Amino acid sequence: MPLVKGRMPNRERILDVALELFNDVGTGPVSTNHIAAGAAISPGNLYYHFRNKEQIIQTLFEGLFEKYERVFVLPERRAPSLADLRQLVRLNFDLLWEYRFAYRELAALLRRDEILRERWLEVRRRGYIGFRYLIAAFVTAGVIAIPANDAVIDRLADLCWLISEFWLPNLEINGQSIDATQLDRGVVLMLQVLNPNLEPAQLSEERPL
Amino acid sequence: MPLVKGRMPNRERILDVALELFNDVGTGPVSTNHIAAGAAISPGNLYYHFRNKEQIIQTLFEGLFEKYERVFVLPERRAPSLADLRQLVRLNFDLLWEYRFAYRELAALLRRDEILRERWLEVRRRGYIGFRYLIAAFVTAGVIAIPANDAVIDRLADLCWLISEFWLPNLEINGQSIDATQLDRGVVLMLQVLNPNLEPAQLSEERPL
DNA sequence: GTCTATATCGCGATAGAC
DNA sequence: GTCTATCGCGATATAGAC
């Protein structure tokens, strides 16, 4: 049964349908035949556009990478604020959700596909450097209220990174709903890490940071 | 090619081989034929012991659950120390490593298999309650140096739980080696969360906690 | 409990016409 | 670019002998 409605080049339809199917049931059970059927084209046609399923997955990841790099833009010519962090994390959660098949199977996919692994490490390295820089900037801007040498900054960056990458998977694994409220709990955790001495009320959404 | 050496009931050999293969290449590419071959029995024989691959996975998870519950034992008749926490986290990491196929595909597996999902939630719920209790005990014991009402304790528990569940996957995803040193970085992150005002040196291994 | 044999199925991939 | 047709393979699962 076709899954796509609008007019679109077949190559993109394939990617579109594949993403939807992967998100729905995972990459394993979805065959190239399923994808072709969903895109309302013949199996042979699919193989004109892609060598195999692996390449479709790689291409989807490239889309993820592209959007991902657009999330990690730091403000120019002014010190970053916690509001920037909150915004960044939220955008990141949106992206994780859009490509949820990817994080659900990430370790397994990277393990199986060397090309994908290399690309992932490359993108992630750049992202982490920017992120680490953001945390360091908080310290110099005085936004963070704990004694911070380089080792501490490393740890804070690791912690926040861990939350931003795994809070959503954590919610899913534990059967909790994925909505704005639940996602914001992740943001609050991050603020707790950065400002552990703040009063709880000050961490909530109502008080702009 | 057979994978198992010693004498063992076939049912357990199957589980043993399956775990090894799953850990090695993931559940997807491993067929019941592969498992049977690894266990040096016929494919038909395998189906005498298990209905299908799904049931093998479920059975492996039951083994994980059993060991998992043995990890979460809190000290009786004395206040828990940070050393207890460290010990608990390390045992947990060991377990995650032994069943690494499970966390690599956890979200996907739980999604596909309702029985597994229910069991997971049940076990995890009990584990979390004990863990939350441990953190709360730290507060009353004065081991934790930040103002702690119930909401803060919730957050600390969530943070530490997140680390204990995802630090190892995080290392793997980012291509870092899985050795004692790297795993202990996870423990240090947890201590950073609980005692953010401590001097960094006090968090290191040398200073017993 | 264990084996052999077999039935059925669907997947991945290609060839060749249009 | 897209289709139809098809081949070869391997996976799941069962039947029936031992």
Side-chain angles (χ1 to χ4, degrees):
Chain A
M1 214 151 321
L3 287 173
V4 195
K5 31 276 120 190
R7 265 295 135 218
M8 231 184 188
N10 275 342
R11 190 188 142 87
E12 291 178 43
R13 307 244 317 264
I14 292 170
L15 292 172
D16 229 51
V17 170
L19 178 59
E20 183 170 344
L21 291 176
F22 290 163
N23 278 340
D24 205 32
V25 295
T27 60
V30 175
S31 72
T32 49
N33 284 4
H34 292 134
I35 299 173
I41 62 172
S42 70
N45 191 356
L46 183 145
Y47 280 90
Y48 170 80
H49 292 285
F50 296 96
R51 203 185 334 280
N52 49 35
K53 197 168 83 175
E54 192 174 35
Q55 202 188 48
I56 294 178
I57 294 175
Q58 288 169 1
T59 310
L60 284 174
F61 266 86
E62 288 303 326
L64 167 61
F65 293 154
E66 205 178 307
K67 294 177 188 170
Y68 181 78
E69 308 237 320
R70 255 179 277 146
V71 166
F72 275 76
V73 283
L74 301 182
E76 305 262 355
R77 310 219 157 272
R78 70 169 172 82
S81 68
L82 287 183
D84 292 323
L85 179 67
R86 174 170 269 162
Q87 172 69 359
L88 187 152
V89 174
R90 282 182 177 154
L91 289 175
N92 190 44
F93 284 158
D94 289 345
L95 209 48
L96 284 181
W97 181 246
E98 186 181 350
Y99 291 86
R100 51 200 175 279
F101 86 92
Y103 71 71
R104 284 189 192 130
E105 308 176 34
L106 190 54
L109 290 174
L110 295 184
R111 219 178 137 63
R112 255 173 252 160
D113 184 340
E114 189 175 340
I115 296 178
L116 194 58
R117 182 166 63 244
E118 295 302 325
R119 285 287 294 137
W120 172 269
L121 288 177
E122 197 183 325
V123 173
R124 125 102 200 187
R125 182 158 25 240
R126 274 205 298 281
Y128 184 81
I129 289 174
F131 196 76
R132 167 76 167 69
Y133 174 82
L134 181 69
I135 302 296
F138 285 156
V139 174
T140 52
V143 188
I144 294 182
I146 58 180
N149 57 27
D150 270 4
V152 171
I153 293 177
D154 280 339
R155 269 181 242 133
L156 295 180
D158 281 346
L159 281 167
C160 292
W161 186 269
L162 198 71
I163 296 167
S164 79
E165 263 198 331
F166 291 107
W167 178 248
L168 202 156
N170 175 66
L171 284 178
E172 231 196 4
I173 283 173
N174 296 307
Q176 297 176 276
S177 60
I178 314 282
D179 53 37
T181 312
Q182 294 296 329
L183 289 176
D184 274 336
R185 282 178 56 214
V187 177
V188 170
L189 289 186
M190 214 172 288
L191 299 177
Q192 166 85 38
V193 166
L194 296 176
N195 267 339
N197 299 310
L198 238 52
E199 279 306 304
Q202 295 179 269
L203 294 175
S204 75
E205 176 71 22
E206 324 320 327
R207 303 279 297 242
L209 289 166
Chain B
M1 216 148 323
L3 287 174
V4 195
K5 27 284 119 182
R7 265 297 135 218
M8 229 183 190
N10 276 342
R11 189 188 143 89
E12 291 178 44
R13 306 245 316 266
I14 293 170
L15 291 173
D16 228 51
V17 169
L19 178 59
E20 183 170 342
L21 292 176
F22 290 164
N23 278 340
D24 205 33
V25 295
T27 60
V30 175
S31 72
T32 49
N33 283 5
H34 292 134
I35 299 173
I41 61 171
S42 70
N45 191 355
L46 183 143
Y47 280 90
Y48 170 79
H49 292 284
F50 296 95
R51 205 187 330 281
N52 49 35
K53 197 167 83 176
E54 192 174 35
Q55 202 188 48
I56 295 178
I57 295 175
Q58 287 169 1
T59 310
L60 284 175
F61 266 86
E62 288 304 325
L64 168 60
F65 293 154
E66 206 179 306
K67 295 176 186 170
Y68 182 79
E69 309 237 320
R70 255 179 278 145
V71 166
F72 275 75
V73 282
L74 302 182
E76 305 261 355
R77 308 216 157 276
R78 68 169 173 84
S81 68
L82 286 183
D84 293 323
L85 179 67
R86 174 171 268 163
Q87 173 70 358
L88 188 151
V89 173
R90 280 181 179 154
L91 290 176
N92 190 44
F93 284 159
D94 288 345
L95 208 48
L96 284 180
W97 181 246
E98 186 180 349
Y99 291 85
R100 51 200 175 280
F101 87 92
Y103 70 71
R104 285 189 192 129
E105 309 176 33
L106 189 54
L109 289 174
L110 295 184
R111 218 177 138 63
R112 254 173 252 162
D113 184 340
E114 188 175 342
I115 295 179
L116 194 58
R117 182 167 60 246
E118 295 302 326
R119 285 288 293 134
W120 172 269
L121 288 177
E122 197 182 324
V123 173
R124 124 101 200 189
R125 181 158 27 239
R126 275 204 298 280
Y128 185 81
I129 289 173
F131 195 76
R132 167 76 165 69
Y133 174 82
L134 181 69
I135 302 293
F138 285 157
V139 173
T140 52
V143 188
I144 293 183
I146 58 181
N149 56 28
D150 270 3
V152 171
I153 293 176
D154 280 340
R155 267 180 245 134
L156 295 180
D158 281 346
L159 281 168
C160 291
W161 186 268
L162 198 72
I163 295 168
S164 80
E165 263 197 333
F166 292 106
W167 177 248
L168 203 157
N170 174 66
L171 284 178
E172 232 195 3
I173 282 174
N174 296 308
Q176 296 175 279
S177 60
I178 315 282
D179 53 36
T181 313
Q182 294 297 328
L183 289 176
D184 274 336
R185 283 178 55 214
V187 178
V188 170
L189 288 186
M190 215 173 287
L191 298 177
Q192 165 84 38
V193 166
L194 296 177
N195 267 340
N197 299 309
L198 237 53
E199 279 306 302
Q202 294 178 272
L203 295 176
S204 75
E205 177 72 22
E206 324 319 325
R207 305 278 295 241
L209 288 166

